[in-house]
Amino acid sequence: MPPTRIIIDTDPGVDDALTFLLALASPEIQLEALTTVQGNVAIEKTTRNALSVLEFLKAGDIPVARGCSRPLVKAPHASGEAVHGSGGMGRTNLPDPASKPIEAHAIDYLIERFMAEPKQISLFAIGPLTNVALAIRKEPRIVDAVRELVIMGGAIRSGGNITPLAEFNVHEDPHAAHIVFHSGIPITLIPLDSTYKCLLTGDDIERLNKIDSSIARFVRDATADYMAFYLKYEGFNGCALHDPLTLAAIIAPELLTLEEHYVSVDISGGVSTGKTYADFMKVSKQPANMKVALDVKGREFVELFLERIMSLRGGVARIAPRRRSNLQADGEIASSRRSRSSQ
Ligand code: RIB
Ligand code: CA
């Protein structure tokens, strides 16, 4: 069976980077591109982190398109630096990237890729949904061209992680989430209800560190502050694999408990702004608009994550075939990448 081709819209972010790792270590997945958005940290940092992590994983051939620098309506969140560190990548110290993002804006790149190959590529949104919402507004036909949209976001029965009710990605741009949720695009939602059951623990990091691998050291350094934050504020020695769990939709769907529901998000501007809610009693008479992962075999997923990461012992990830697009950078950037990747 050919690998599932995916584009990840992302705000790296520690768990975002762990998602790139898992995608590149999974033969079921072909990572085609990254599009960046502000969220955990500012757009300059999320874009730099996307480029530098791909280069670290020897996948610098994968294009990165820079996206929106602020939410549609509300002011950007101060920053996720308390969780993800000042640079957004914990205690890692990756060199500045040699490559640059492609010329096209993330919105235009998403439209160009999905309209060029309808139903061939899946989109994984693991940051605020600003780019995705604007791509839908600019080219409504994209709704029928995306094979599947898998979103890390929301808190259905779970409490929130940025307010008592709301999850960070949705709360950061609730208006974008509202547009996406009601667009008709085929959605699988991976909310906190399941991601908080996928805890990477200090013992797991110790297991990783028994192998002499730059990848294991990267995971240790990236998650150190993340884990310290969870221990201090949430009382457990570990960190939730929020973003990586989205890939279970491809690599281990049997671990997810998915239910179809009508889900929306509060944009009223009050205390529950950004709260996602499912109409379990079907009182709104609205048809279901997404599949929701309300539960997961969390430990099994974490073991699968570790197994895949440890398979990258050599630190060399699979390099996805070069994907060119009309909007991709012009010749010299592409050729400079080619020459670098052949070094
Ligand atoms: O609530 C978890 C989400 O917020 C993850 O995507 C994490 O990276 C942060 O962006
Ligand atoms: Ca994220």
Side-chain angles (χ1 to χ4, degrees), residues 3 43 57 82 110 134 238 313 335:
I43 190 68
L57 297 173
L110 289 171
L134 288 176
R313 287 171 184 276
S335 60

Side-chain angles (χ1 to χ4, degrees), residues 64-145:
V64 174
R66 173 181 164 136
C68 294
S69 59
R70 55 165 302 143
L72 298 184
V73 176
K74 68 186 279 275
H77 174 68
S79 97
E81 295 186 2
V83 183
H84 297 271
S86 60
M89 293 306 301
R91 294 182 196 165
T92 61
N93 191 17
L94 296 179
D96 284 337
S99 53
K100 300 234 179 304
I102 63 169
E103 298 298 313
H105 189 283
I107 297 168
D108 297 319
Y109 182 78
L110 289 171
I111 291 169
E112 193 262 348
R113 289 302 309 274
F114 287 108
M115 297 311 290
E117 297 186 83
K119 294 290 185 195
Q120 300 302 307
I121 304 172
S122 297
L123 178 58
F124 281 67
I126 58 175
L129 290 163
T130 317
N131 292 337
V132 182
L134 288 176
I136 290 170
R137 281 286 186 263
K138 184 168 184 181
E139 178 44 87
R141 292 178 300 164
I142 197 174
V143 161
D144 296 317

Side-chain angles (χ1 to χ4, degrees), residues 13-15 18 81-86 88-93 200-202 205-206 208-209 215-233 236-241:
V14 170
D15 56 328
L18 300 182
E81 295 186 2
V83 183
H84 297 271
S86 60
M89 293 306 301
R91 294 182 196 165
T92 61
N93 191 17
L200 186 70
T201 67
I205 296 296
E206 283 312 306
L208 273 180
N209 284 322
I215 297 284
R217 287 189 290 277
F218 174 81
V219 174
R220 177 197 61 204
D221 296 346
T223 56
D225 290 339
Y226 202 22
M227 287 193 172
F229 178 90
Y230 271 94
L231 188 58
K232 182 174 181 184
Y233 292 102
F236 52 76
N237 172 24
C239 62
L241 294 177

Side-chain angles (χ1 to χ4, degrees), residues 10-13 15-16 40 84 126-128 169 243:
T10 177
D11 64 334
D15 56 328
D16 302 69
N40 287 317
H84 297 271
I126 58 175
N169 286 336
D243 293 336

